Amino acid sequence: MSASVAAAVTTAQIREAIAPTLDALRERAARRDVEREHPYAEVRALADAGLLRYRLPVQDDGAGATVRELAELVVDIAAADSNVAQALRPGVLVVESLVTGAVTGPARDALLARVLRGDLFSGTVNERGGAAGGVQTTLTRDEHGLRIDGAKYYSTGGLHAQWFSGVARDEQGRTVAFTVPTDREGVVRLDDFDAIGQRLTASGSTLLQGVRVDAAELGEPDAPKRHPHGSLAHLVLAATLAGIAQAAADDAVHVVQRVARPIKHSTAATSVEDPYVRQVTGRIATAAFTARAQVVAAAEALDRHWAAGDDATAAAAVVAVAQAYIGAGEQALLAGELLFDVGGGTLTDRELGLDRHWRNARTVANHNPRGWKAAAIGAWFLAGEIPPANGLF
């Protein structure tokens, strides 16, 4: 464990420790997007500053942040570089399993040790081909023991991680979770993620070619999903969208003050004084404010559930997170579109990279169909139907 991690024992200390790295991320975010330059050093610096200890309980040498505090931190990271916020998502979820008791016993002890030494995590259940949600990765036994064979796609944060988690189908047809070190023989990580946005989330494919695994690295077969244990995953995406909206708002201010010029028939001497530019900038800033507020409200619903622990607050939190995901996505897309209205053709220069905000928001918003989420929300309010506990809420 580095000295910086040992010193970062409060939320304020962790915030202070990561601030220079966020500034560095913000400064080169547009250039990295153009050059496809992964922020390896910056992500490592965040880990070494104890970022994953932010919500870890105080008794586990963490800072003990609430879900709200965590959500606001993710928004701020995403405002600096939304790729990084999403790349860190698997680690945030690992810590949440320690906080909520989803992992217990020796497995918890092993995960906690990894978090405390600054390890990073990746994972996905997604595969290409076959039925939606199907698992073609196999867990079989040969003369040497258990082995995993298959390929996973959307391995968020995979190029940064020391650990990879996924699911495989065993010889009895059961779904079994597994976690293996990324440097184990047979684990191959590819930088082949090629979306229109969020290009630097290190979310490429992970190939599993005869990867050896022991029983301690496997989860319970066909482990049931329970609300709201999956909701934080979607809240992190919503917070990432809110951060994208904030980044668009920050760039709007920057280009109006330093780049844009008023049109010829404007009565204003500068873009800053142009009333229509001010109006658009106000709408973008309001979109960012609204997105953050929606994320904060959903995070508080999760905090209420973990304080109460009952089914009613669980259902309410799940619905709130779904609402925040839809709402923050709409606000981020709006902010990314309106950004171009604060100036003229100059703002479309590739050098400025302003298009990345809309592309990033569009990519994050596509991870879960908003129509299905909206329908589930409506079913809750109209008929009291709880959204399915399938990992998508």
Coordinates of all heavy atoms in Angstrom, one line a residue, residues 88-146:
L88 N -13.9 3.0 -13.8 CA -13.8 2.7 -12.4 C -15.0 2.0 -11.8 O -15.0 1.6 -10.7 CB -13.5 4.0 -11.6 CG -12.1 4.6 -11.9 CD1 -12.0 6.0 -11.2 CD2 -11.0 3.7 -11.3
R89 N -16.1 1.9 -12.6 CA -17.4 1.4 -12.2 C -17.3 0.0 -11.6 O -17.8 -0.3 -10.5 CB -18.3 1.4 -13.3 CG -19.7 0.9 -13.1 CD -20.6 1.1 -14.3 NE -21.9 0.6 -14.3 CZ -22.4 -0.4 -15.1 NH1 -21.6 -0.8 -16.1 NH2 -23.6 -0.8 -15.0
P90 N -16.5 -0.9 -12.2 CA -16.5 -2.3 -11.6 C -15.9 -2.3 -10.2 O -16.3 -3.0 -9.3 CB -15.6 -3.1 -12.5 CG -15.8 -2.4 -13.9 CD -15.9 -0.9 -13.5
G91 N -14.9 -1.4 -9.9 CA -14.3 -1.3 -8.6 C -15.2 -0.7 -7.6 O -15.3 -1.1 -6.5
V92 N -16.0 0.3 -8.0 CA -17.0 0.8 -7.2 C -18.0 -0.2 -6.7 O -18.5 -0.3 -5.6 CB -17.8 2.0 -7.9 CG1 -19.0 2.5 -7.1 CG2 -16.8 3.2 -8.1
L93 N -18.4 -1.1 -7.7 CA -19.3 -2.2 -7.4 C -18.7 -3.2 -6.4 O -19.4 -3.8 -5.6 CB -19.8 -2.8 -8.6 CG -20.5 -1.8 -9.6 CD1 -21.0 -2.6 -10.9 CD2 -21.6 -1.1 -9.0
V94 N -17.5 -3.5 -6.6 CA -16.8 -4.4 -5.7 C -16.8 -3.9 -4.3 O -17.2 -4.6 -3.3 CB -15.3 -4.6 -6.1 CG1 -14.5 -5.3 -5.0 CG2 -15.2 -5.5 -7.3
V95 N -16.5 -2.6 -4.1 CA -16.6 -2.0 -2.8 C -18.0 -2.1 -2.2 O -18.2 -2.3 -1.0 CB -16.1 -0.6 -2.8 CG1 -16.3 0.1 -1.5 CG2 -14.6 -0.5 -3.2
E96 N -19.0 -1.8 -3.1 CA -20.4 -1.9 -2.6 C -20.8 -3.2 -2.1 O -21.5 -3.4 -1.1 CB -21.3 -1.4 -3.7 CG -22.8 -1.1 -3.3 CD -22.9 0.1 -2.4 OE1 -21.8 0.8 -2.3 OE2 -24.0 0.4 -2.0
S97 N -20.2 -4.3 -2.7 CA -20.5 -5.6 -2.2 C -19.9 -5.8 -0.8 O -20.5 -6.6 0.0 CB -20.0 -6.7 -3.2 OG -18.5 -6.7 -3.1
L98 N -18.8 -5.1 -0.5 CA -18.3 -5.2 0.9 C -19.1 -4.4 1.9 O -19.3 -4.8 3.0 CB -16.9 -4.6 0.9 CG -15.8 -5.4 0.0 CD1 -14.5 -4.6 0.0 CD2 -15.6 -6.8 0.4
V99 N -19.6 -3.2 1.4 CA -20.4 -2.4 2.3 C -21.8 -3.0 2.6 O -22.2 -2.9 3.8 CB -20.7 -1.0 1.5 CG1 -21.6 -0.1 2.4 CG2 -19.4 -0.3 1.3
T100 N -22.4 -3.6 1.7 CA -23.8 -4.1 1.8 C -23.9 -5.5 2.3 O -25.0 -6.0 2.6 CB -24.6 -3.9 0.5 OG1 -24.0 -4.8 -0.5 CG2 -24.6 -2.5 0.1
G101 N -22.8 -6.2 2.5 CA -22.8 -7.6 2.9 C -23.1 -8.6 1.8 O -23.5 -9.7 2.2
A102 N -23.1 -8.2 0.6 CA -23.3 -9.1 -0.5 C -22.2 -10.2 -0.6 O -22.5 -11.3 -1.1 CB -23.4 -8.4 -1.8
V103 N -21.1 -9.9 -0.1 CA -20.0 -10.8 0.0 C -19.5 -11.0 1.5 O -19.4 -10.0 2.2 CB -18.7 -10.4 -0.8 CG1 -17.6 -11.4 -0.8 CG2 -19.2 -10.2 -2.3
T104 N -19.4 -12.2 1.9 CA -19.1 -12.5 3.3 C -17.9 -13.5 3.4 O -17.5 -14.1 2.4 CB -20.3 -13.0 4.0 OG1 -20.7 -14.2 3.4 CG2 -21.4 -12.0 4.0
G105 N -17.5 -13.7 4.6 CA -16.5 -14.8 4.9 C -15.1 -14.5 4.2 O -14.7 -13.4 4.0
P106 N -14.4 -15.6 3.9 CA -13.1 -15.5 3.3 C -13.1 -14.8 2.0 O -12.1 -14.1 1.6 CB -12.7 -17.0 3.0 CG -13.5 -17.8 4.0 CD -14.8 -17.0 4.2
A107 N -14.2 -14.8 1.2 CA -14.3 -14.1 -0.1 C -14.2 -12.6 0.2 O -13.6 -11.8 -0.5 CB -15.6 -14.5 -0.8
R108 N -14.9 -12.2 1.3 CA -14.9 -10.7 1.6 C -13.5 -10.3 2.1 O -13.0 -9.3 1.7 CB -15.9 -10.5 2.8 CG -16.0 -9.0 3.1 CD -16.9 -8.7 4.3 NE -17.2 -7.3 4.4 CZ -16.5 -6.3 4.8 NH1 -15.3 -6.7 5.3 NH2 -16.9 -5.1 4.8
D109 N -12.8 -11.2 2.8 CA -11.5 -10.8 3.3 C -10.5 -10.7 2.1 O -9.7 -9.7 2.1 CB -11.0 -11.9 4.2 CG -11.8 -12.0 5.5 OD1 -12.4 -11.1 5.9 OD2 -11.7 -13.1 6.1
A110 N -10.7 -11.5 1.1 CA -9.8 -11.4 -0.1 C -10.1 -10.1 -0.9 O -9.1 -9.5 -1.3 CB -10.0 -12.7 -1.0
L111 N -11.4 -9.8 -1.1 CA -11.7 -8.6 -1.8 C -11.2 -7.4 -1.0 O -10.7 -6.4 -1.6 CB -13.2 -8.5 -2.0 CG -13.8 -9.3 -3.1 CD1 -15.3 -9.0 -3.2 CD2 -13.2 -8.9 -4.5
L112 N -11.4 -7.3 0.3 CA -11.0 -6.2 1.1 C -9.5 -6.0 0.9 O -9.0 -4.8 0.8 CB -11.4 -6.4 2.5 CG -11.0 -5.3 3.5 CD1 -11.5 -3.9 3.1 CD2 -11.4 -5.6 4.9
A113 N -8.7 -7.0 1.0 CA -7.3 -6.9 0.9 C -6.9 -6.3 -0.5 O -6.0 -5.5 -0.6 CB -6.6 -8.3 1.1
R114 N -7.6 -6.7 -1.5 CA -7.3 -6.2 -2.8 C -7.6 -4.7 -2.9 O -6.8 -3.9 -3.5 CB -8.1 -7.0 -3.9 CG -7.7 -8.4 -4.0 CD -8.7 -9.2 -4.8 NE -8.4 -10.7 -4.7 CZ -9.2 -11.6 -5.1 NH1 -10.4 -11.3 -5.6 NH2 -8.9 -12.9 -4.9
V115 N -8.7 -4.3 -2.4 CA -9.1 -2.9 -2.4 C -8.1 -2.0 -1.6 O -7.7 -1.0 -2.0 CB -10.5 -2.7 -1.8 CG1 -10.9 -1.2 -1.6 CG2 -11.6 -3.3 -2.7
L116 N -7.7 -2.5 -0.4 CA -6.8 -1.8 0.4 C -5.4 -1.6 -0.2 O -4.7 -0.6 0.1 CB -6.7 -2.4 1.8 CG -7.9 -2.3 2.7 CD1 -7.7 -3.1 4.0 CD2 -8.3 -0.9 3.0
R117 N -5.0 -2.5 -1.0 CA -3.7 -2.3 -1.7 C -3.8 -1.6 -3.0 O -2.8 -1.4 -3.7 CB -3.0 -3.7 -1.8 CG -3.6 -4.6 -2.8 CD -2.7 -5.9 -3.0 NE -3.3 -6.9 -3.9 CZ -3.7 -8.0 -3.5 NH1 -3.6 -8.4 -2.2 NH2 -4.2 -8.9 -4.3
G118 N -5.0 -1.1 -3.4 CA -5.1 -0.3 -4.5 C -5.4 -1.0 -5.8 O -5.2 -0.4 -6.9
D119 N -5.8 -2.3 -5.8 CA -6.1 -3.0 -7.0 C -7.3 -2.4 -7.7 O -8.2 -1.8 -7.1 CB -6.3 -4.5 -6.7 CG -5.1 -5.2 -6.3 OD1 -4.0 -4.6 -6.4 OD2 -5.2 -6.4 -6.1
L120 N -7.4 -2.6 -9.0 CA -8.5 -2.2 -9.8 C -9.2 -3.5 -10.4 O -8.6 -4.5 -10.5 CB -8.1 -1.3 -10.9 CG -7.6 0.1 -10.4 CD1 -7.0 0.9 -11.5 CD2 -8.7 0.9 -9.8
F121 N -10.4 -3.3 -10.8 CA -11.3 -4.4 -11.1 C -12.0 -4.2 -12.5 O -12.2 -3.1 -12.9 CB -12.3 -4.6 -10.1 CG -11.7 -4.8 -8.7 CD1 -11.4 -3.8 -7.9 CD2 -11.5 -6.1 -8.2 CE1 -10.8 -3.9 -6.6 CE2 -11.0 -6.3 -6.9 CZ -10.6 -5.2 -6.2
S122 N -12.3 -5.3 -13.1 CA -13.0 -5.3 -14.4 C -14.0 -6.5 -14.3 O -13.9 -7.4 -13.5 CB -12.1 -5.4 -15.6 OG -12.9 -5.5 -16.8
G123 N -15.0 -6.4 -15.2 CA -15.9 -7.5 -15.2 C -17.1 -7.3 -16.2 O -17.5 -6.1 -16.5
T124 N -17.6 -8.3 -16.7 CA -18.8 -8.3 -17.5 C -19.4 -9.7 -17.7 O -18.7 -10.7 -17.6 CB -18.5 -7.7 -18.9 OG1 -19.7 -7.6 -19.7 CG2 -17.5 -8.6 -19.7
V125 N -20.7 -9.7 -17.9 CA -21.4 -10.9 -18.3 C -21.7 -11.0 -19.8 O -22.1 -12.0 -20.3 CB -22.7 -11.1 -17.5 CG1 -22.4 -11.1 -16.0 CG2 -23.7 -10.0 -17.8
N126 N -21.4 -9.9 -20.5 CA -21.8 -9.7 -21.9 C -21.0 -10.6 -22.8 O -19.7 -10.7 -22.7 CB -21.7 -8.3 -22.3 CG -22.7 -7.4 -21.6 OD1 -23.9 -7.6 -21.6 ND2 -22.2 -6.4 -20.9
E127 N -21.6 -11.2 -23.8 CA -21.0 -11.9 -24.8 C -21.6 -11.6 -26.2 O -22.8 -11.1 -26.2 CB -21.2 -13.4 -24.6 CG -20.5 -13.9 -23.3 CD -20.6 -15.4 -23.1 OE1 -21.3 -16.1 -23.9 OE2 -20.1 -15.9 -22.1
R128 N -20.9 -11.8 -27.2 CA -21.5 -11.6 -28.6 C -22.0 -12.9 -29.2 O -21.4 -14.0 -28.9 CB -20.4 -11.0 -29.5 CG -20.1 -9.6 -29.3 CD -19.1 -9.0 -30.2 NE -19.2 -7.6 -30.4 CZ -18.3 -6.9 -31.1 NH1 -17.3 -7.4 -31.7 NH2 -18.5 -5.5 -31.1
G129 N -23.1 -12.8 -29.9 CA -23.6 -14.0 -30.5 C -24.5 -14.7 -29.5 O -24.5 -14.5 -28.3
G130 N -25.4 -15.6 -30.0 CA -26.3 -16.4 -29.2 C -27.4 -15.5 -28.7 O -27.6 -14.4 -29.1
A131 N -28.2 -16.1 -27.9 CA -29.4 -15.4 -27.4 C -29.0 -14.3 -26.4 O -28.0 -14.3 -25.8 CB -30.3 -16.4 -26.6
A132 N -29.9 -13.3 -26.4 CA -29.6 -12.1 -25.5 C -29.5 -12.6 -24.1 O -30.4 -13.3 -23.6 CB -30.7 -11.1 -25.7
G133 N -28.5 -12.2 -23.4 CA -28.3 -12.7 -22.0 C -27.7 -14.1 -21.9 O -27.5 -14.6 -20.8
G134 N -27.5 -14.8 -23.0 CA -27.0 -16.1 -23.0 C -25.6 -16.2 -22.5 O -24.8 -15.2 -22.7
V135 N -25.2 -17.3 -22.0 CA -23.8 -17.5 -21.5 C -23.2 -18.7 -22.3 O -23.6 -19.8 -22.1 CB -23.7 -17.8 -20.0 CG1 -22.3 -18.0 -19.6 CG2 -24.3 -16.6 -19.2
Q136 N -22.2 -18.4 -23.1 CA -21.5 -19.4 -23.9 C -20.2 -19.8 -23.3 O -19.6 -20.8 -23.6 CB -21.4 -19.0 -25.3 CG -22.7 -18.7 -26.0 CD -22.5 -18.1 -27.4 OE1 -22.2 -18.9 -28.4 NE2 -22.5 -16.8 -27.5
T137 N -19.7 -19.0 -22.4 CA -18.4 -19.3 -21.7 C -18.7 -20.5 -20.8 O -19.7 -20.6 -20.1 CB -18.0 -18.1 -20.8 OG1 -17.8 -17.0 -21.7 CG2 -16.7 -18.4 -20.1
T138 N -17.7 -21.4 -20.8 CA -17.9 -22.7 -20.1 C -16.9 -22.8 -18.9 O -15.8 -22.3 -19.0 CB -17.7 -23.9 -21.1 OG1 -16.4 -23.8 -21.6 CG2 -18.8 -23.8 -22.2
L139 N -17.4 -23.5 -17.9 CA -16.6 -24.0 -16.8 C -16.6 -25.5 -16.8 O -17.6 -26.1 -16.6 CB -17.1 -23.4 -15.5 CG -16.5 -24.0 -14.2 CD1 -15.1 -23.5 -14.1 CD2 -17.3 -23.5 -13.0
T140 N -15.4 -26.1 -17.1 CA -15.4 -27.5 -17.2 C -14.2 -28.1 -16.4 O -13.3 -27.3 -15.9 CB -15.2 -27.9 -18.7 OG1 -14.0 -27.3 -19.2 CG2 -16.4 -27.5 -19.5
R141 N -14.2 -29.4 -16.2 CA -13.2 -30.0 -15.5 C -12.4 -31.0 -16.4 O -13.0 -31.8 -17.1 CB -13.7 -30.8 -14.3 CG -12.7 -31.4 -13.4 CD -13.3 -32.1 -12.2 NE -14.0 -31.2 -11.3 CZ -13.4 -30.5 -10.3 NH1 -12.1 -30.6 -10.1 NH2 -14.1 -29.7 -9.6
D142 N -11.1 -30.9 -16.3 CA -10.3 -31.9 -17.1 C -9.3 -32.6 -16.1 O -9.5 -32.4 -14.8 CB -9.6 -31.3 -18.3 CG -8.6 -30.2 -17.9 OD1 -8.2 -30.1 -16.7 OD2 -8.3 -29.3 -18.7
E143 N -8.3 -33.2 -16.6 CA -7.4 -34.0 -15.7 C -6.6 -33.0 -14.8 O -6.0 -33.5 -13.8 CB -6.5 -34.9 -16.5 CG -5.5 -34.2 -17.4 CD -6.1 -33.9 -18.8 OE1 -7.3 -33.9 -18.9 OE2 -5.3 -33.6 -19.7
H144 N -6.5 -31.8 -15.2 CA -5.7 -30.8 -14.4 C -6.6 -30.0 -13.4 O -6.0 -29.2 -12.6 CB -5.0 -29.9 -15.3 CG -4.0 -30.6 -16.3 ND1 -2.9 -31.3 -15.9 CD2 -4.1 -30.8 -17.6 CE1 -2.3 -31.8 -16.9 NE2 -3.0 -31.5 -18.0
G145 N -7.9 -30.1 -13.5 CA -8.7 -29.3 -12.6 C -9.8 -28.5 -13.4 O -10.1 -28.9 -14.6
L146 N -10.2 -27.4 -12.9 CA -11.3 -26.6 -13.5 C -10.6 -25.6 -14.5 O -9.6 -25.0 -14.2 CB -12.1 -25.8 -12.4 CG -12.9 -26.7 -11.5 CD1 -13.4 -25.8 -10.3 CD2 -14.1 -27.3 -12.3

